[in-house]
Coordinates of all heavy atoms in Angstrom, one line a residue:
M6 N 42.9 155.4 46.5 CA 44.0 156.0 47.3 C 45.1 154.9 47.5 O 46.3 155.3 47.5 CB 43.4 156.4 48.6 CG 44.5 157.1 49.5 SD 44.9 158.7 48.8 CE 45.8 159.4 50.2
L7 N 44.8 153.7 47.9 CA 45.8 152.7 48.1 C 46.7 152.4 46.9 O 47.9 151.9 47.1 CB 45.1 151.4 48.7 CG 44.7 151.5 50.1 CD1 44.1 150.3 50.6 CD2 45.8 151.8 51.1
Q8 N 46.1 152.6 45.7 CA 47.0 152.3 44.6 C 48.3 153.1 44.5 O 49.2 152.7 43.9 CB 46.2 152.5 43.2 CG 45.9 153.8 42.9 CD 44.6 154.4 43.5 OE1 44.0 153.8 44.4 NE2 44.1 155.4 43.0
L9 N 48.3 154.3 45.2 CA 49.5 155.1 45.3 C 50.6 154.4 46.1 O 51.8 154.8 45.9 CB 49.2 156.5 46.0 CG 48.2 157.3 45.2 CD1 47.8 158.6 45.9 CD2 48.8 157.8 43.8
F10 N 50.2 153.4 47.0 CA 51.2 152.7 47.7 C 51.6 151.4 47.1 O 52.7 150.8 47.5 CB 50.7 152.4 49.2 CG 50.7 153.6 50.0 CD1 49.6 154.3 50.2 CD2 51.8 154.1 50.7 CE1 49.6 155.4 51.0 CE2 51.9 155.2 51.5 CZ 50.7 155.9 51.7
W11 N 51.0 150.9 46.1 CA 51.3 149.6 45.4 C 52.2 149.8 44.3 O 52.8 148.7 43.9 CB 50.0 148.9 45.0 CG 49.1 148.6 46.1 CD1 47.9 149.2 46.3 CD2 49.3 147.8 47.3 NE1 47.2 148.6 47.5 CE2 48.1 147.8 48.1 CE3 50.4 147.0 47.7 CZ2 48.0 147.1 49.3 CZ3 50.3 146.4 48.9 CH2 49.1 146.4 49.6
G12 N 52.5 150.9 43.7 CA 53.4 151.1 42.6 C 54.8 150.8 43.0 O 55.1 150.6 44.1
K13 N 55.7 150.7 42.0 CA 57.2 150.4 42.3 C 58.0 151.7 42.1 O 59.2 151.7 42.1 CB 57.6 149.4 41.2 CG 57.0 148.0 41.5 CD 57.4 147.5 42.8 CE 58.8 146.9 42.8 NZ 59.1 146.2 44.0
E14 N 57.4 152.8 42.0 CA 58.2 154.1 41.8 C 59.0 154.4 43.1 O 58.5 154.0 44.2 CB 57.3 155.3 41.5 CG 56.4 155.8 42.6 CD 55.1 155.1 42.6 OE1 54.8 154.2 41.9 OE2 54.3 155.3 43.6
P15 N 60.1 155.0 43.0 CA 61.0 155.3 44.2 C 60.3 156.4 45.1 O 59.7 157.4 44.6 CB 62.2 155.7 43.6 CG 62.0 156.2 42.2 CD 60.7 155.4 41.7
W16 N 60.5 156.2 46.4 CA 60.1 157.1 47.4 C 61.3 157.7 48.2 O 61.2 158.7 48.8 CB 59.2 156.5 48.4 CG 57.9 156.0 47.8 CD1 57.3 156.2 46.6 CD2 57.1 154.9 48.5 NE1 56.2 155.4 46.6 CE2 56.0 154.6 47.7 CE3 57.1 154.4 49.7 CZ2 55.0 153.8 48.0 CZ3 56.1 153.5 50.1 CH2 55.1 153.2 49.2
F17 N 62.4 156.9 48.1 CA 63.6 157.2 49.0 C 64.8 157.4 48.0 O 64.8 156.7 47.0 CB 63.9 156.1 49.9 CG 62.8 155.9 50.9 CD1 61.7 155.1 50.6 CD2 62.9 156.5 52.2 CE1 60.8 154.8 51.7 CE2 61.9 156.4 53.2 CZ 60.9 155.6 52.8
R18 N 65.6 158.4 48.2 CA 66.8 158.7 47.5 C 67.8 157.5 48.0 O 67.9 157.1 49.1 CB 67.3 160.0 47.8 CG 66.5 161.1 47.4 CD 67.1 162.0 46.3 NE 66.2 163.2 46.1 CZ 65.6 163.2 44.9 NH1 65.5 162.2 44.1 NH2 64.8 164.3 44.7
A19 N 68.7 157.2 47.0 CA 69.8 156.3 47.3 C 70.9 157.1 48.1 O 71.0 158.3 47.9 CB 70.4 155.7 46.1
K20 N 71.6 156.4 49.0 CA 72.7 157.2 49.7 C 73.7 157.5 48.7 O 74.0 156.8 47.7 CB 73.2 156.2 50.8 CG 72.3 156.1 51.9 CD 72.9 155.1 53.0 CE 74.0 155.8 53.7 NZ 74.4 155.1 54.8
R21 N 74.4 158.6 48.9 CA 75.4 159.0 48.1 C 76.7 158.2 48.3 O 77.5 157.8 47.4 CB 75.8 160.4 48.3 CG 76.8 161.0 47.2 CD 76.9 162.5 47.4 NE 77.9 162.9 46.4 CZ 78.5 164.2 46.5 NH1 78.0 165.1 47.3 NH2 79.3 164.5 45.7
F22 N 77.0 157.9 49.5 CA 78.0 157.0 49.9 C 77.7 155.9 50.8 O 76.8 156.1 51.7 CB 79.2 157.8 50.7 CG 79.8 158.9 49.8 CD1 79.6 160.2 49.9 CD2 80.8 158.5 48.9 CE1 80.2 161.1 49.2 CE2 81.4 159.4 48.1 CZ 81.1 160.8 48.2
G23 N 78.1 154.7 50.5 CA 77.7 153.6 51.4 C 76.6 152.8 50.8 O 76.4 152.8 49.6
Y24 N 75.8 152.0 51.6 CA 74.9 151.0 51.3 C 73.5 151.4 51.9 O 73.5 151.7 53.1 CB 75.3 149.7 51.7 CG 74.5 148.5 51.3 CD1 74.5 148.0 50.0 CD2 73.5 148.0 52.1 CE1 73.8 147.0 49.6 CE2 72.7 147.0 51.7 CZ 72.9 146.4 50.5 OH 72.1 145.4 50.0
G25 N 72.5 151.4 51.1 CA 71.1 151.7 51.7 C 70.4 152.8 51.1 O 70.8 153.3 50.0
A26 N 69.5 153.4 51.8 CA 68.6 154.5 51.4 C 68.8 155.7 52.2 O 69.3 155.6 53.4 CB 67.2 154.0 51.5
G27 N 68.6 156.8 51.6 CA 68.7 158.1 52.3 C 67.3 158.5 52.7 O 66.4 157.7 52.9
L28 N 67.1 159.8 52.8 CA 65.8 160.4 53.2 C 64.7 160.2 52.1 O 65.1 160.2 50.9 CB 65.9 161.9 53.5 CG 66.7 162.1 54.8 CD1 66.9 163.7 55.0 CD2 65.9 161.6 56.1
P29 N 63.5 160.2 52.4 CA 62.4 160.2 51.5 C 62.4 161.5 50.7 O 62.7 162.5 51.2 CB 61.1 160.0 52.2 CG 61.5 159.9 53.7 CD 63.0 160.1 53.8
F30 N 61.8 161.4 49.4 CA 61.6 162.6 48.6 C 60.2 162.7 48.1 O 59.9 163.6 47.5 CB 62.6 162.7 47.5 CG 62.5 161.8 46.5 CD1 61.8 162.0 45.3 CD2 63.1 160.5 46.6 CE1 61.7 161.0 44.2 CE2 63.0 159.6 45.6 CZ 62.3 159.8 44.5
K31 N 59.4 161.7 48.4 CA 57.9 161.7 48.0 C 57.1 161.6 49.4 O 57.6 161.0 50.3 CB 57.6 160.6 47.1 CG 58.2 160.8 45.7 CD 57.5 160.0 44.7 CE 58.0 160.4 43.3 NZ 57.3 159.7 42.2
W32 N 55.9 162.0 49.3 CA 55.1 162.0 50.4 C 54.8 160.6 50.9 O 54.7 160.3 52.1 CB 53.7 162.7 50.2 CG 52.8 162.1 49.2 CD1 52.7 162.2 47.9 CD2 51.8 161.0 49.5 NE1 51.7 161.5 47.3 CE2 51.2 160.7 48.3 CE3 51.4 160.4 50.8 CZ2 50.2 159.7 48.3 CZ3 50.4 159.5 50.7 CH2 49.8 159.1 49.5
Q33 N 54.8 159.5 50.0 CA 54.6 158.2 50.5 C 55.8 157.7 51.4 O 55.5 157.0 52.4 CB 54.4 157.2 49.2 CG 53.2 157.4 48.4 CD 53.5 158.3 47.2 OE1 54.4 159.2 47.2 NE2 52.7 158.1 46.1
G34 N 57.0 158.1 51.1 CA 58.1 157.8 51.9 C 58.1 158.4 53.2 O 58.4 157.8 54.2
W35 N 57.6 159.7 53.2 CA 57.5 160.4 54.5 C 56.3 159.7 55.4 O 56.6 159.6 56.7 CB 57.2 161.9 54.3 CG 58.4 162.6 53.8 CD1 58.6 163.1 52.6 CD2 59.6 162.9 54.6 NE1 59.9 163.7 52.5 CE2 60.5 163.6 53.7 CE3 60.0 162.6 55.9 CZ2 61.7 164.1 54.2 CZ3 61.2 163.1 56.3 CH2 62.1 163.8 55.5
V36 N 55.3 159.3 54.8 CA 54.3 158.7 55.5 C 54.7 157.3 56.1 O 54.5 156.9 57.2 CB 53.0 158.4 54.7 CG1 52.0 157.5 55.3 CG2 52.3 159.8 54.4
T37 N 55.4 156.5 55.3 CA 56.0 155.3 55.6 C 57.0 155.5 56.9 O 56.9 154.8 57.8 CB 56.7 154.6 54.5 OG1 55.9 154.4 53.5 CG2 57.3 153.3 54.9
L38 N 57.8 156.4 56.8 CA 58.8 156.8 57.9 C 58.0 157.2 59.1 O 58.3 156.7 60.2 CB 59.8 157.8 57.4 CG 60.9 158.3 58.5 CD1 61.7 157.0 58.8 CD2 61.7 159.4 57.9
A39 N 57.0 158.0 59.0 CA 56.3 158.5 60.1 C 55.6 157.4 60.8 O 55.5 157.3 62.0 CB 55.3 159.7 59.8
V40 N 54.8 156.5 60.1 CA 54.2 155.4 60.6 C 55.1 154.4 61.4 O 54.9 154.0 62.4 CB 53.4 154.6 59.5 CG1 52.9 153.3 60.0 CG2 52.3 155.4 59.0
Y41 N 56.3 154.2 60.8 CA 57.3 153.4 61.5 C 57.8 154.0 62.8 O 57.8 153.3 63.8 CB 58.5 153.2 60.5 CG 59.7 152.5 61.2 CD1 59.6 151.1 61.5 CD2 60.8 153.1 61.6 CE1 60.6 150.4 62.1 CE2 61.9 152.5 62.2 CZ 61.8 151.1 62.5 OH 62.8 150.5 63.1
L42 N 58.0 155.3 62.8 CA 58.6 156.0 64.0 C 57.5 155.9 65.0 O 57.7 155.7 66.2 CB 59.0 157.3 63.7 CG 60.2 157.4 62.8 CD1 60.6 158.9 62.5 CD2 61.4 156.8 63.6
L43 N 56.2 156.3 64.6 CA 55.1 156.2 65.6 C 54.9 154.8 66.2 O 54.7 154.7 67.4 CB 53.8 156.8 65.0 CG 53.8 158.2 64.7 CD1 52.5 158.6 63.9 CD2 53.7 159.1 66.0
A44 N 55.1 153.8 65.4 CA 54.9 152.5 65.8 C 55.9 152.1 66.9 O 55.6 151.5 67.9 CB 55.0 151.5 64.7
M45 N 57.2 152.5 66.6 CA 58.3 152.3 67.5 C 58.1 153.0 68.9 O 58.3 152.4 70.0 CB 59.6 152.6 66.9 CG 60.1 151.8 65.8 SD 60.4 150.0 66.2 CE 59.0 149.3 65.4
V46 N 57.8 154.3 68.8 CA 57.4 155.0 70.0 C 56.3 154.5 70.8 O 56.3 154.3 71.9 CB 57.2 156.5 69.6 CG1 56.8 157.3 70.8 CG2 58.6 157.1 69.1
G47 N 55.3 154.1 70.1 CA 54.0 153.5 70.7 C 54.4 152.2 71.4 O 53.9 152.0 72.6
L48 N 55.1 151.3 70.8 CA 55.4 150.0 71.3 C 56.3 150.3 72.6 O 56.1 149.7 73.6 CB 56.1 149.2 70.4 CG 55.3 148.4 69.4 CD1 56.1 147.7 68.3 CD2 54.4 147.4 70.1
G49 N 57.2 151.3 72.5 CA 58.1 151.5 73.6 C 57.4 152.1 74.8 O 57.6 151.7 75.9
L50 N 56.5 153.0 74.5 CA 55.7 153.6 75.6 C 54.7 152.6 76.2 O 54.5 152.6 77.4 CB 54.9 154.8 75.1 CG 55.8 156.0 74.8 CD1 54.9 157.1 74.2 CD2 56.5 156.5 76.0
F51 N 54.1 151.8 75.3 CA 53.1 150.8 75.9 C 53.8 149.7 76.7 O 53.2 149.3 77.7 CB 52.4 150.1 74.6 CG 51.4 149.2 75.0 CD1 50.1 149.7 75.6 CD2 51.4 147.9 74.8 CE1 49.1 148.9 75.9 CE2 50.4 147.0 75.2 CZ 49.2 147.5 75.7
A52 N 55.0 149.4 76.4 CA 55.7 148.3 77.3 C 56.5 149.0 78.3 O 57.3 148.2 79.0 CB 56.5 147.5 76.3
D53 N 56.5 150.3 78.6 CA 57.4 150.9 79.6 C 57.1 150.6 81.0 O 56.5 151.4 81.7 CB 57.4 152.4 79.3 CG 58.4 153.2 80.1 OD1 59.4 152.6 80.4 OD2 58.2 154.3 80.5
G54 N 57.4 149.4 81.4 CA 57.3 149.0 82.8 C 55.8 149.0 83.3 O 55.7 148.8 84.5
H55 N 54.8 149.0 82.6 CA 53.5 149.0 83.1 C 53.0 147.5 83.1 O 51.9 147.3 83.6 CB 52.5 149.7 82.2 CG 52.9 151.2 82.2 ND1 52.8 152.0 83.3 CD2 53.2 152.0 81.1 CE1 53.2 153.2 83.0 NE2 53.5 153.2 81.7
G56 N 53.8 146.6 82.7 CA 53.5 145.2 82.7 C 52.4 144.9 81.6 O 51.8 143.8 81.7
A57 N 52.2 145.7 80.6 CA 51.2 145.5 79.6 C 51.5 144.4 78.7 O 50.8 143.6 78.3 CB 50.9 146.8 78.8
M58 N 52.9 144.4 78.4 CA 53.4 143.3 77.4 C 54.7 142.9 78.0 O 55.5 143.8 78.5 CB 53.6 143.9 76.1 CG 52.5 143.8 75.2 SD 53.0 144.1 73.4 CE 53.6 145.7 73.5
P59 N 55.0 141.6 77.9 CA 56.4 141.1 78.3 C 57.4 141.8 77.3 O 57.2 142.1 76.2 CB 56.3 139.6 78.1 CG 54.8 139.3 78.1 CD 54.2 140.5 77.6
T60 N 58.6 141.9 77.8 CA 59.7 142.6 77.1 C 60.0 141.8 75.8 O 60.2 142.4 74.7 CB 61.0 142.7 77.9 OG1 60.6 143.4 79.0 CG2 62.1 143.3 77.1
I61 N 60.0 140.4 75.8 CA 60.3 139.6 74.7 C 59.3 139.9 73.6 O 59.6 139.9 72.4 CB 60.4 138.1 75.1 CG1 61.0 137.4 73.9 CG2 59.1 137.6 75.5 CD1 62.5 137.6 73.7
V62 N 58.0 140.1 73.9 CA 56.9 140.3 72.9 C 57.2 141.7 72.3 O 57.1 141.9 71.1 CB 55.5 140.3 73.6 CG1 54.5 140.7 72.6 CG2 55.3 138.9 74.1
T63 N 57.6 142.7 73.2 CA 57.9 144.1 72.6 C 59.0 144.0 71.7 O 58.8 144.6 70.5 CB 58.2 145.0 73.8 OG1 57.0 145.0 74.6 CG2 58.4 146.4 73.3
V64 N 60.1 143.4 72.0 CA 61.3 143.3 71.1 C 60.9 142.5 69.8 O 61.4 142.9 68.8 CB 62.4 142.6 71.9 CG1 63.5 142.3 71.0 CG2 62.9 143.5 73.0
G65 N 60.2 141.5 70.0 CA 59.8 140.7 68.8 C 58.9 141.5 67.8 O 59.1 141.5 66.6
L66 N 58.0 142.3 68.3 CA 57.2 143.2 67.5 C 58.0 144.3 66.9 O 57.8 144.7 65.7 CB 56.0 143.8 68.3 CG 54.9 142.9 68.7 CD1 53.9 143.6 69.7 CD2 54.1 142.4 67.5
M67 N 59.0 144.8 67.7 CA 59.8 145.9 67.1 C 60.8 145.3 66.0 O 60.8 146.0 64.9 CB 60.7 146.5 68.2 CG 59.9 147.4 69.1 SD 61.0 148.2 70.3 CE 60.0 149.5 70.9
L68 N 61.2 144.1 66.2 CA 62.1 143.6 65.1 C 61.3 143.2 63.8 O 61.7 143.4 62.8 CB 62.8 142.3 65.6 CG 63.9 142.5 66.6 CD1 64.3 141.2 67.2 CD2 65.0 143.2 66.0
T69 N 60.0 142.8 64.0 CA 59.1 142.5 62.9 C 58.8 143.8 62.3 O 58.8 143.8 60.9 CB 57.8 141.8 63.4 OG1 58.2 140.6 64.1 CG2 56.9 141.4 62.3
M70 N 58.5 144.8 63.0 CA 58.2 146.1 62.2 C 59.2 146.6 61.5 O 59.2 147.2 60.4 CB 57.7 147.1 63.3 CG 56.3 146.8 64.0 SD 54.9 147.0 62.9 CE 54.9 148.7 62.7
T71 N 60.5 146.5 62.0 CA 61.7 147.0 61.5 C 62.0 146.2 60.2 O 62.4 146.8 59.1 CB 62.9 146.9 62.4 OG1 62.6 147.7 63.5 CG2 64.2 147.4 61.7
A72 N 61.8 144.9 60.2 CA 62.0 144.1 59.0 C 61.1 144.5 57.9 O 61.4 144.6 56.7 CB 61.8 142.6 59.3
I73 N 59.8 144.7 58.2 CA 58.8 145.1 57.3 C 59.1 146.5 56.6 O 59.1 146.7 55.5 CB 57.4 145.1 57.9 CG1 56.9 143.7 58.1 CG2 56.4 145.8 56.9 CD1 55.7 143.6 59.0
F74 N 59.5 147.4 57.5 CA 59.9 148.8 57.1 C 61.2 148.7 56.1 O 61.2 149.3 55.1 CB 60.3 149.6 58.3 CG 60.8 150.9 58.0 CD1 60.0 152.0 57.5 CD2 62.2 151.3 58.2 CE1 60.5 153.2 57.1 CE2 62.7 152.5 58.0 CZ 61.8 153.5 57.4
L75 N 62.2 147.8 56.5 CA 63.3 147.7 55.6 C 63.0 147.1 54.3 O 63.6 147.6 53.2 CB 64.4 146.9 56.3 CG 65.1 147.6 57.5 CD1 66.1 146.7 58.2 CD2 65.8 148.9 57.0
V76 N 62.1 146.2 54.2 CA 61.8 145.6 52.8 C 60.9 146.7 52.1 O 61.3 146.9 50.8 CB 60.7 144.4 53.1 CG1 60.0 144.1 51.9 CG2 61.6 143.3 53.7
I77 N 60.1 147.4 52.6 CA 59.4 148.4 51.9 C 60.4 149.6 51.4 O 60.3 150.0 50.2 CB 58.3 149.2 52.8 CG1 57.2 148.2 53.1 CG2 57.7 150.5 52.2 CD1 56.2 148.6 54.2
V78 N 61.3 150.0 52.3 CA 62.3 151.0 51.8 C 63.2 150.4 50.8 O 63.4 151.1 49.8 CB 63.1 151.5 53.1 CG1 64.2 152.3 52.6 CG2 62.2 152.3 54.1
R79 N 63.6 149.2 50.9 CA 64.5 148.7 49.8 C 63.7 148.7 48.5 O 64.3 148.9 47.5 CB 65.0 147.3 50.3 CG 66.0 146.7 49.3 CD 66.6 145.4 49.8 NE 67.6 145.2 48.9 CZ 68.2 143.9 48.8 NH1 67.8 143.0 49.7 NH2 69.1 143.7 48.0
N80 N 62.5 148.2 48.5 CA 61.7 148.1 47.3 C 61.4 149.5 46.6 O 61.0 149.5 45.5 CB 60.5 147.3 47.4 CG 60.7 145.9 47.8 OD1 61.7 145.3 47.3 ND2 59.7 145.3 48.4
H81 N 61.5 150.5 47.5 CA 61.1 151.9 46.9 C 62.3 152.9 47.0 O 62.1 154.1 47.1 CB 60.0 152.5 47.7 CG 58.6 151.7 47.4 ND1 57.9 151.9 46.3 CD2 58.0 150.7 48.1 CE1 56.9 151.1 46.2 NE2 56.9 150.4 47.3
T82 N 63.5 152.4 46.9 CA 64.7 153.2 46.8 C 65.1 153.3 45.3 O 65.3 152.4 44.6 CB 65.9 152.6 47.6 OG1 65.5 152.6 49.0 CG2 67.1 153.5 47.5
E83 N 65.4 154.6 44.9 CA 65.8 154.8 43.5 C 67.1 154.2 43.3 O 68.1 154.4 44.0 CB 65.7 156.2 43.1 CG 66.7 157.2 43.8 CD 66.6 158.6 43.4 OE1 65.8 158.9 42.5 OE2 67.3 159.4 43.9
G84 N 67.3 153.4 42.3 CA 68.5 152.6 42.0 C 68.8 151.5 42.8 O 69.8 150.8 42.6
G85 N 68.0 151.2 43.8 CA 68.2 149.9 44.6 C 69.3 150.2 45.6 O 69.9 151.2 45.7
W86 N 69.4 149.2 46.4 CA 70.5 149.2 47.5 C 71.8 148.6 46.9 O 71.8 147.4 46.6 CB 70.1 148.5 48.7 CG 69.1 149.2 49.6 CD1 68.4 150.3 49.3 CD2 68.7 148.9 50.9 NE1 67.7 150.8 50.3 CE2 67.8 149.8 51.3 CE3 69.1 147.8 51.7 CZ2 67.2 149.8 52.6 CZ3 68.5 147.8 53.0 CH2 67.5 148.8 53.4
K87 N 72.8 149.4 46.8 CA 74.1 148.9 46.4 C 75.2 149.8 46.9 O 74.9 150.9 47.4 CB 74.2 148.7 44.9 CG 74.1 150.0 44.2 CD 74.2 149.8 42.6 CE 74.0 151.0 41.9 NZ 73.9 150.9 40.5
W88 N 76.4 149.3 46.9 CA 77.5 150.2 47.4 C 77.7 151.3 46.5 O 77.8 151.2 45.3 CB 78.8 149.3 47.6 CG 79.9 150.2 48.2 CD1 80.9 150.7 47.5 CD2 80.0 150.5 49.5 NE1 81.7 151.4 48.3 CE2 81.2 151.3 49.5 CE3 79.4 150.2 50.7 CZ2 81.6 151.8 50.7 CZ3 79.8 150.8 51.9 CH2 81.0 151.5 51.9
R89 N 77.9 152.5 47.1 CA 78.0 153.7 46.2 C 79.2 154.5 46.8 O 79.4 154.5 48.0 CB 76.8 154.6 46.2 CG 75.7 154.0 45.4 CD 74.5 154.9 45.5 NE 73.5 154.5 44.6 CZ 72.6 153.5 44.8 NH1 72.7 153.0 46.0 NH2 71.7 153.2 44.0
G90 N 80.0 155.0 46.0 CA 81.1 155.9 46.4 C 82.4 155.1 46.3 O 82.5 154.0 46.8
D91 N 83.5 155.8 45.9 CA 84.9 155.2 45.9 C 85.7 155.8 47.0 O 86.8 155.2 47.3 CB 85.5 155.5 44.5 CG 84.9 154.7 43.4 OD1 84.3 153.7 43.7 OD2 85.0 155.1 42.3
F92 N 85.2 156.8 47.6 CA 86.1 157.4 48.7 C 87.5 157.8 48.3 O 88.4 157.5 49.0 CB 86.0 156.5 50.0 CG 84.7 156.2 50.6 CD1 84.1 155.0 50.4 CD2 84.0 157.2 51.2 CE1 82.8 154.9 50.9 CE2 82.8 157.0 51.7 CZ 82.2 155.8 51.6
G93 N 87.5 158.4 47.1 CA 88.9 158.9 46.6 C 89.6 157.9 45.8 O 90.7 158.3 45.4
A94 N 89.1 156.8 45.4 CA 89.8 155.9 44.6 C 89.7 156.2 43.2 O 88.9 156.9 42.7 CB 89.3 154.4 44.8

């Protein structure tokens, strides 16, 4: 099952205009996006004023999770990340 996540096939569409990735079009992309969103919400709720984690630790974990997510999305975007669209030129 894990071999489905190790391949280099694209999971995310390239943006039509601008730089970066669009929405996922394969289930692996949707799972990646869902795990990232659940992790962000979970960290936010866990650190929500209960004194469970200091704010700096929460922010550090969120930045680390975001960096990992962006690397995964960049590696699995069809056509890679580059500027697209001339905006009428």
Side-chain angles (χ1 to χ4, degrees):
M6 181 75 170
L7 284 177
Q8 69 272 17
L9 296 174
F10 285 98
W11 297 117
K13 292 297 278 183
E14 71 276 353
W16 303 340
F17 297 87
R18 298 239 185 258
K20 289 179 74 174
R21 187 170 175 193
F22 295 104
Y24 185 79
L28 287 175
F30 68 95
K31 290 203 172 177
W32 70 268
Q33 293 97 329
W35 287 108
V36 168
T37 303
L38 180 61
V40 167
Y41 171 73
L42 291 175
L43 287 173
M45 291 297 110
V46 169
L48 282 171
L50 291 175
F51 187 67
D53 186 31
H55 300 298
M58 266 193 305
T60 303
I61 191 72
V62 173
T63 304
V64 171
L66 286 172
M67 286 182 164
L68 288 174
T69 302
M70 293 288 292
T71 300
I73 292 168
F74 175 71
L75 289 176
V76 168
I77 292 170
V78 171
R79 185 172 188 195
N80 289 335
H81 290 282
T82 299
E83 65 180 358
W86 283 12
K87 61 182 176 182
W88 183 260
R89 289 181 172 80
D91 291 334
F92 297 108

